[in-house]
C-alpha cells in the first residue's frame, strides 16, 4: 500500500507544479522508512518534498525546457545539494 500511495506523489507533483518527477526505488524506500520510523504521514512528506524541490526544478525547466527529473534517495535527503548540482550541470550543458 505504501508503494502505491508514494507513486501517486509523482502525479500530485505534476498536477501541482507541471513538473514530471520519477521517484527511483531508493527514494521510495527512503519515503517508506520515513513514514514508518519517523511517524510522519505521506502527505506531510510530500509537502516537505514539494517545498524543497519545486523552485529549483522550475528553474531548471525554464532554462533547459526539460520537464522530467529522476529523484533518488540522496535528492530527498539533501535537496539543496541535489538542486545545486543539477542546476550547475544543466547550465554548463547549455554553454557547451
Amino acid at each position: 500500500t505504501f508503494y502505491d500511495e508514494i507513486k501517486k506523489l509523482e502525479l500530485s507533483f505534476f498536477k501541482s507544479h507541471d513538473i514530471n518527477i520519477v521517484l527511483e526505488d531508493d527514494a521510495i524506500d527512503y519515503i517508506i522508512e520515513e513514514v514508518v520510523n519517523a511517524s510522519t504521514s505521506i502527505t506531510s512528506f510530500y509537502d516537505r518534498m514539494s517545498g524543497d524541490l519545486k523552485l529549483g526544478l522550475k528553474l531548471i525547466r525554464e532554462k533547459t525546457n526539460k520537464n522530467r527529473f529522476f529523484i533518488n534517495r540522496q535528492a530527498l535527503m539533501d535537496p539543496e545539494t541535489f538542486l545545486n548540482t543539477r542546476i550547475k550541470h544543466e547550465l554548463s550543458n547549455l554553454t557547451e
Side-chain angles (χ1 to χ4, degrees):
T1 6
F2 282 136
Y3 182 86
D4 293 336
E5 290 298 312
I6 291 167
K7 290 305 280 182
K8 290 178 185 175
L9 297 181
E10 295 171 341
L11 184 58
S12 295
F13 198 89
F14 181 74
K15 287 180 178 178
S16 296
H17 309 296
D18 196 32
I19 296 172
N20 184 7
I21 62 168
V22 178
L23 295 167
E24 294 183 0
D25 288 341
D26 64 339
I28 293 170
D29 292 343
Y30 175 71
I31 295 170
I32 292 171
E33 289 171 17
E34 287 293 299
V35 169
V36 171
N37 297 332
S39 299
T40 188
S41 69
I42 291 176
T43 303
S44 295
F45 190 92
Y46 170 79
D47 291 342
R48 186 179 86 207
M49 177 185 76
S50 180
D52 289 344
L53 296 175
K54 69 180 175 187
L55 293 177
L57 294 179
K58 283 182 179 183
L59 175 66
I60 295 169
R61 182 188 64 197
E62 289 172 10
K63 299 294 183 188
T64 66
N65 290 322
K66 289 185 179 182
N67 196 36
R68 188 170 191 212
F69 301 95
F70 291 88
I71 306 299
N72 61 21
R73 177 187 195 102
Q74 195 59 40
L76 297 176
M77 293 176 67
D78 188 2
E80 186 175 340
T81 300
F82 168 77
L83 290 170
N84 286 338
T85 302
R86 293 297 319 156
I87 289 168
K88 287 176 188 172
H89 174 76
E90 295 296 339
L91 294 179
S92 72
N93 284 344
L94 289 176
T95 59
E96 292 177 356

